[in-house]
Amino acid sequence: MNVEQARFNMIEQQIRPWDVLDAHVLDLLAVVRREDFVPPAHRVLAFADIEIPLREGEAAVAAGQVMLPPRLEARLLQDLEVAKHEKVLEIGTGSGFMAALLGHRAQRVLTLEIDDGLARTAHANLQRAGVLNVEVRVADGASADLSADGPFDAILLSGSVAMLPERLLEQLKPGGRLLAVVGDEPVMRATLVRQGASGRVVTQPWDTGAPRLLNFPEPPRFRF
């Protein structure tokens, strides 16, 4: 495989057509080596428009242990609008690729991963990539005590939730943003919350889908 041609095709055929037009984001995706964050068994799929399992077996996919498709990662990164002076929280580290992208754009990134094996792998991937301003912590993003770490300028949920998590919204600075995929299959929407001076402003700019993050609240199901 011609890796650089595959990377170019990913950007031009998948990412740019998905309304990712921020030149800084596109340039970053051209230089951060996505293939280095993909498990060796799936490296040939590094630039494919699919969710890539981070472990072997269907159980990993069922547990949401996947890399998100490149176009979704890129659109989330663009819409979060991270600046160089900002402190960012990510929930759901996975292989560490999104954390690496955030690390290139932010001053500091704290990323939480509930699975200790994935957290170790992500830490190693980030170290090899030379991304040194990202802390990988083994923690449950749905319940972790972040009072000593917050507040944050930006929070990204690298997976879906049924509803906006109030505990995390409380960790936003004035002017801060939280971006998550919210809803239930088949209807999920990217949801951006801005913490304004007069309250929160919520927008849902586009439809998408993503695996569930573990342990976040689910609304009660209606039963006949």
Side-chain angles (χ1 to χ4, degrees):
M1 179 176 67
N2 183 328
V3 172
E4 293 311 317
Q5 185 63 52
R7 194 187 326 277
F8 176 84
N9 291 344
M10 175 190 72
I11 293 170
E12 296 302 320
Q13 297 174 12
Q14 298 176 41
I15 292 172
R16 194 186 292 272
W18 231 48
D19 289 332
V20 180
L21 303 175
D22 184 318
H24 297 293
V25 170
L26 295 173
D27 289 346
L28 189 57
L29 291 163
V31 298
V32 178
R33 293 170 54 87
R34 192 172 198 269
E35 65 273 22
D36 292 345
F37 292 83
V38 176
H42 301 299
R43 197 152 290 169
V44 69
L45 302 173
F47 307 106
D49 185 22
I50 60 172
E51 295 174 355
I52 299 176
L54 295 176
R55 287 187 169 163
E56 293 299 323
E58 294 181 2
V61 177
Q65 295 176 339
V66 299
M67 280 184 81
L68 298 175
R71 58 186 169 82
L72 179 52
E73 292 171 323
R75 186 72 183 269
L76 291 170
L77 182 67
Q78 173 181 266
D79 287 10
L80 196 59
E81 298 180 332
V82 175
K84 262 299 184 185
H85 66 279
E86 292 186 322
K87 180 169 63 173
V88 178
L89 171 68
E90 181 195 21
I91 306 298
T93 313
S95 69
F97 181 65
M98 178 61 83
L101 297 174
L102 292 169
H104 278 277
R105 291 181 65 88
Q107 182 180 83
R108 174 181 173 243
V109 178
L110 171 62
T111 180
L112 306 186
E113 173 54 55
I114 196 170
D115 184 288
D116 59 348
L118 289 181
R120 288 194 299 271
T121 298
H123 175 76
N125 289 342
L126 288 160
Q127 291 294 304
R128 283 194 296 270
V131 183
L132 305 180
N133 63 334
V134 175
E135 177 189 350
V136 181
R137 184 180 300 174
V138 180
D140 183 347
S143 60
D145 181 1
L146 296 165
S147 57
D149 302 287
F152 298 90
D153 298 286
I155 300 175
L156 176 65
L157 277 63
S158 288
S160 69
V161 290
M163 60 190 75
L164 288 169
E166 183 63 31
R167 292 184 71 257
L168 294 179
L169 289 169
E170 292 172 354
Q171 292 294 326
L172 285 176
K173 292 181 180 180
R177 294 90 61 210
L178 180 145
L179 182 57
V181 176
V182 179
D184 292 291
E185 291 286 6
V187 181
M188 295 186 184
R189 292 189 66 84
T191 302
L192 179 65
V193 183
R194 293 183 183 274
Q195 186 66 56
S198 57
R200 295 170 185 163
V201 178
V202 180
T203 56
Q204 294 185 307
W206 40 281
D207 295 328
T208 188
R212 272 287 191 258
L213 292 169
L214 297 178
N215 299 337
F216 281 85
E218 296 283 342
R221 301 294 181 183
F222 178 78
R223 294 182 180 178
F224 289 102

